[in-house]
Structures are given as structure tokens and as C-alpha cells.
Amino acid sequence: MSIISGNYLCGMKKCLLFLYLLLSAASVSAQPDTTQQVISGRQNSPRQQQKPYVILISADGFRYDYADKYNATTLKTLRAQGVEAESMLPSFPSKTFPNHYTIVTGMYPATHGLINNYFYDPNRKESYTLRDRDKVEDGSWYGGVPLWVLAEQQQMLTASYFWVGSEAPIQGVWPTYYYKYNEKTAFEDRVKTVVSWLKLPEEKRPHLITLYLSEVDYAGHVFGPNAPETAAAVHVLDENIRKLTEAVAATGLPVNYIFVSDHGMTEIDRDHTLPLPVAVDTAKFIVSGGEMVVELHAKNKRDIRPTYRRLKKEADGYRVYRKRNMPRHLHYGAKEDAYKRLGDILLLTEVPTVFNFSGRRPSPATHGFDPCTVKDMHATFYAWGPSFKKGIRIPSFRNTEVYPLVAELLGLRYTHKIDGTKKLVKEVLP
Ligand code: AMP
Ligand code: ZN
Ligand code: ZN
């Protein structure tokens, strides 16, 4: 009996062990890769070792007025020691991927190619989406020369604790140190790593560090920009910025900070959303985008004109454009469309109206609207550190201006054409 029960138990133990191994193997394969990726064999050139350091921080969805609205005391103190912009204008559409990539390339979304978080590429006949790791890590989707690529090409090391594009070899180049995106990584771990990078020997120490934080955007979408949960997310972020800046100050290095966001947040009318117009024949058009920007790609160019005319006649609650007559100030038309990824016909809504094709009730708040007409879309820009003017307030400017600023701070040359100018550089550097 005991043998039987022993065998039985033994069999059950084996079974449990097998189940445990199976489950842990499954959970391991489902876990994101949290290890630091390091490109070996690189060093700062002796010339670059003399340069200052830049930490470029992005708090996703940190609307231009959040620091004051929610009394973010650390950020208010830090910006008072350096530069505070009235706001920073995102590029259209005011979404995460296009704007993070604009900030690091100085180009409009249609020019650098990342026209939205999700989009269809008619030449490739496939879609890019931020949820598809293979696409996110495929450098062939990304145009322009991101700041870390510019730096590495000039023998200056860089590091990224997340940034759109940093996980892909763009022109064959990754940052020397980077991570695959995992929104669950605790802020404390990000801070520890940033500080550890600054403690590396000079030839291995990155001069440009990017840091990305998503919590404020998440709270804004789910609870709305006026909710106590969003206030709480701003306070947590503010406290973490305090910890980061204190730990970095202890290194004694000349570190410049640029604190930005990609866009703002506004409440939408989630009870009266727009369906796909009946004039759009999905046998003839590939429909991409949604919410405030719908792109229609004609399978046969002959179908553009009649559909455009019908949409113009029937449009109710949205505006209809052909790519070539998009409003100029959006910089999202045929002229900028370097990768031919914009739709042949575009349907745009205005706050608080959005298209919704999913059948699910949308979140109470979002972003993506025209930043020139919707102030709630405006982003944040604060900068402080040894290289900046002290205690100045500047008017709003476009986020294409950040690239020339970082290049100037780090003494990096570029000759390729971008959309940013040197105006911000002149305003904020002595
Ligand atoms: P949005 O809808 O424009 O606010 O998109 C924000 C989303 O982008 C958040 O859910 C982030 O977690 C996500 N995100 C930010 N950076 C990355 C990245 N490098 N890879 C994948 N997703 C990202
Ligand atoms: Zn965002
Ligand atoms: Zn968002």
C-alpha cells in the first residue's frame, strides 16, 4: 500500500514538476527581454570625452499645463533654474510614435516615415504597428538620422532606456546601450541604470541618454486629464525626477537635462463616435488609422476621384481631403510624404469627435488632433543644466527644434536636411 501510495505520490510529484517546468517555460517565453543590450567594441573618441552630457527625458502625454495644474514641485524648481517653454507644439498627428521620432530626427512624421502608431505602407504592402515587435525592431521602417545614430557615427557613445526607434538598427546603428521596450520596468531600475551609465569609465560612458516614461499618458487616457489618478501619476513622476536628478548630481558630471513630452490629452465625446462612412467601399480602399485621422489607400487610383467627391458631399462631422490639398500647416501632405505612406484621401475630425470602428467604447480622453488649433494637444519642454541660460521663459515652438538643440549641446555636426531650425538654439543657449 505504502509502495503504491509512494509510487502514486512519486508519479504525482513528477507530474507536478513537469507541469511546473511547462508553466515556467511558457511564462519565460511570454516575458519580455529585460536584459541590457550592449554593442561591444565601441569607445568615445578622446575628443568626445571632453563633451558635456545630455539626458533627454520624455514623459508620455505630459500636457503643457500639468506641472502647474498639479503642482509638480520638483519640475517647477528645476525649470526655474533653466528654461521653461510656454509649451511645445507636437507634429501632426499628435500621437506617440510619430512625435517621439520627430523629437530625435528633427523631421515631420511624413518626412521621417513614422506617420502614426499604426499605418499602412502601400509600397511594402504591409502595416507597421507599435504592438508588432518585428516591425518595431526593423530599421528599414525608420527614416532620418536619430540623434543616437548621429552621435555614434561621430564616435560618441549613447544609451537609451527606451525611445521609439532605439530598438532598431537604423542605418545599421543601435545605441551602444539599450533595452527592448517593457512598460513594466520600475522607474527605480531605470534611474539605477542611468546613474550606472554615468559611472562608467570615460571611454565607455554615454554622453546622450534617453529615458521614456509612459504612466502619465496611461492615466490620462483611462481616467481623463482632470482626474485625481492623473494628478497622482504626475506626482509620482515628479518625485522620481527628484530621485534621478539627485543621484545624477552626486556623480559631479556636467549633465544637461531636456524634459519633454510627445503631446497632451483631451476629453472626447465617447458616446457619439463616427462609423466608417458608407461612401468608403472597403473592396476598393485599404483603410488605416482611426480616431481623428483616417487614411484611405486606393487599390486602383481611378477610384480616388469619385469616392472623394461623394465623401465631400456626404461628410457629416468630419473633413475630407486629398493628400495633395491637406492644410499646409499640418505638414502632413503630398509635399512631405517621403515614404508615400499617407492615404490618397484623408478624413479628419475635430475635438471632441472621433471615428470608432472597433465596436468598443473608447477611453474618455485621447490625443492626435491638430496641435495648432487644439491647445490641449500641446506638449511640455523644460531644460536645465550647465549649458543652458538660467531662469528664462520662452514662447511655444515646434518639436522639430529639439534635434538641432541636442546636436549643438553635444557638438555634433549634421549636413542632411531636416525640418528643424536653429531658432531654439539661439534662444536657450548663451
Ligand atoms: P499612444 O496611444 O499614442 O498614447 O501610445 C502610447 C503607447 O506607446 C503606450 O502604451 C506605450 O506603452 C507605447 N510605447 C511607447 N514606446 C514604445 C516602444 N518603444 N515600443 C512599443 N510600445 C511603446
Ligand atoms: Zn504619447
Ligand atoms: Zn496616449
Side-chain angles (χ1 to χ4, degrees):
M1 182 67 186
S2 64
I3 293 169
I4 291 168
S5 93
N7 272 347
Y8 170 75
L9 269 178
C10 186
M12 198 160 85
K13 263 189 209 157
K14 265 189 203 152
C15 206
L16 284 174
L17 182 69
F18 178 70
L19 202 67
Y20 170 76
L21 289 174
L22 199 75
L23 285 175
S24 44
S27 72
V28 164
S29 66
Q31 292 291 320
D33 184 354
T34 54
T35 51
Q36 186 177 156
Q37 314 290 317
V38 181
I39 310 295
S40 59
R42 290 189 188 160
Q43 287 205 342
N44 283 310
S45 69
R47 201 170 83 82
Q48 301 297 22
Q49 290 176 26
Q50 310 307 314
K51 302 276 182 73
Y53 299 84
V54 172
I55 303 183
L56 175 62
I57 305 170
S58 165
D60 200 311
F62 196 101
R63 204 169 71 183
Y64 75 100
D65 60 343
Y66 276 0
D68 293 298
K69 186 176 166 70
Y70 294 125
N71 194 24
T73 49
T74 301
L75 282 168
K76 282 168 69 180
T77 306
L78 292 167
R79 77 185 183 194
Q81 296 162 12
V83 181
E84 173 195 351
E86 154 64 22
S87 70
M88 184 164 78
L89 270 118
S91 300
F92 183 81
S94 45
K95 290 286 185 190
T96 298
F97 269 52
N99 278 286
H100 275 88
Y101 202 58
T102 288
I103 291 167
V104 294
T105 58
M107 293 174 168
Y108 296 123
T111 313
H112 63 54
L114 234 50
I115 64 161
N116 210 325
N117 294 344
Y118 311 85
F119 60 88
Y120 178 71
D121 183 321
N123 290 330
R124 298 172 72 128
K125 295 196 170 32
E126 56 176 339
S127 294
Y128 176 100
T129 111
L130 64 80
R131 305 263 171 247
D132 183 339
R133 298 306 307 164
D134 290 340
K135 305 279 164 65
V136 166
E137 294 178 18
D138 176 352
S140 69
W141 285 94
Y142 304 82
V145 186
L147 285 164
W148 56 83
V149 175
L150 188 72
E152 299 283 358
Q153 285 170 344
Q154 294 172 44
Q155 284 72 54
M156 173 186 277
L157 299 197
T158 64
S160 172
Y161 219 126
F162 309 144
W163 199 278
V164 171
S166 64
E167 303 141 276
I170 299 173
Q171 304 194 12
V173 181
W174 282 277
T176 300
Y177 313 99
Y178 71 97
Y179 285 86
K180 298 195 177 193
Y181 185 64
N182 173 19
E183 63 185 6
K184 296 204 168 57
T185 309
F187 194 98
E188 287 70 24
D189 294 333
R190 303 183 202 195
V191 171
K192 253 188 246 158
T193 303
V194 168
V195 176
S196 75
W197 282 330
L198 291 172
K199 289 183 175 165
L200 288 169
E202 273 182 285
E203 68 277 11
K204 289 287 176 196
R205 194 185 300 153
H207 281 258
L208 171 66
I209 296 174
T210 71
L211 178 59
Y212 166 79
L213 306 149
S214 64
E215 291 76 6
V216 171
D217 179 69
Y218 176 81
H221 281 292
V222 176
F223 305 104
N226 302 314
E229 289 86 349
T230 302
V234 168
H235 292 146
V236 170
L237 177 102
D238 193 56
E239 175 59 10
N240 281 316
I241 297 292
R242 187 184 64 77
K243 289 183 190 157
L244 170 73
T245 48
E246 282 179 8
V248 169
T251 66
L253 292 173
V255 178
N256 293 298
Y257 291 86
I258 301 179
F259 178 88
V260 295
S261 62
D262 48 353
H263 51 70
M265 186 68 68
T266 200
E267 281 167 347
I268 55 163
D269 183 353
R270 58 207 300 229
D271 297 315
H272 304 95
T273 58
L274 304 175
L276 186 66
V278 284
V280 179
D281 181 346
T282 51
K284 294 180 177 165
F285 288 87
I286 291 164
V287 180
S288 82
E291 296 185 283
M292 60 298 291
V293 194
V294 174
E295 322 247 353
L296 306 177
H297 298 277
K299 293 179 186 170
N300 184 332
K301 298 289 177 202
R302 277 201 305 264
D303 292 321
I304 299 173
R305 232 154 89 104
T307 302
Y308 171 72
R309 285 193 170 162
R310 199 178 149 196
L311 280 164
K312 279 293 257 190
K313 212 182 294 164
E314 296 174 10
D316 186 10
Y318 58 93
R319 284 173 291 134
V320 187
Y321 295 100
R322 287 189 69 164
K323 172 165 50 179
R324 62 169 187 244
N325 64 16
M326 280 286 279
R328 290 293 318 132
H329 74 274
L330 296 177
H331 297 286
Y332 194 81
K335 183 169 166 269
E336 293 86 4
D337 191 18
Y339 292 85
K340 304 282 173 273
R341 289 172 181 168
L342 301 187
D344 299 301
I345 301 173
L346 294 104
L347 314 179
L348 308 190
T349 70
E350 275 168 30
V351 176
T353 307
V354 292
F355 283 101
N356 179 16
F357 311 145
S358 75
R360 289 187 304 273
R361 194 164 186 246
S363 306
T366 194
H367 50 85
F369 300 98
D370 175 3
C372 294
T373 56
V374 185
K375 182 100 192 229
D376 274 358
M377 292 302 102
H378 285 210
T380 299
F381 176 95
Y382 307 139
W384 64 92
S387 304
F388 289 104
K389 286 185 188 167
K390 311 279 176 259
I392 63 163
R393 204 177 139 86
I394 59 168
S396 306
F397 61 87
R398 287 182 184 272
N399 65 354
T400 46
E401 299 286 286
V402 176
Y403 188 91
L405 174 62
V406 176
E408 185 73 24
L409 285 165
L410 295 174
L412 300 170
R413 297 173 311 275
Y414 59 89
T415 50
H416 65 288
K417 190 176 172 309
I418 61 165
D419 297 304
T421 70
K422 290 277 171 68
K423 196 166 167 275
L424 180 66
V425 171
K426 291 192 188 113
E427 267 179 305
V428 303
L429 300 186

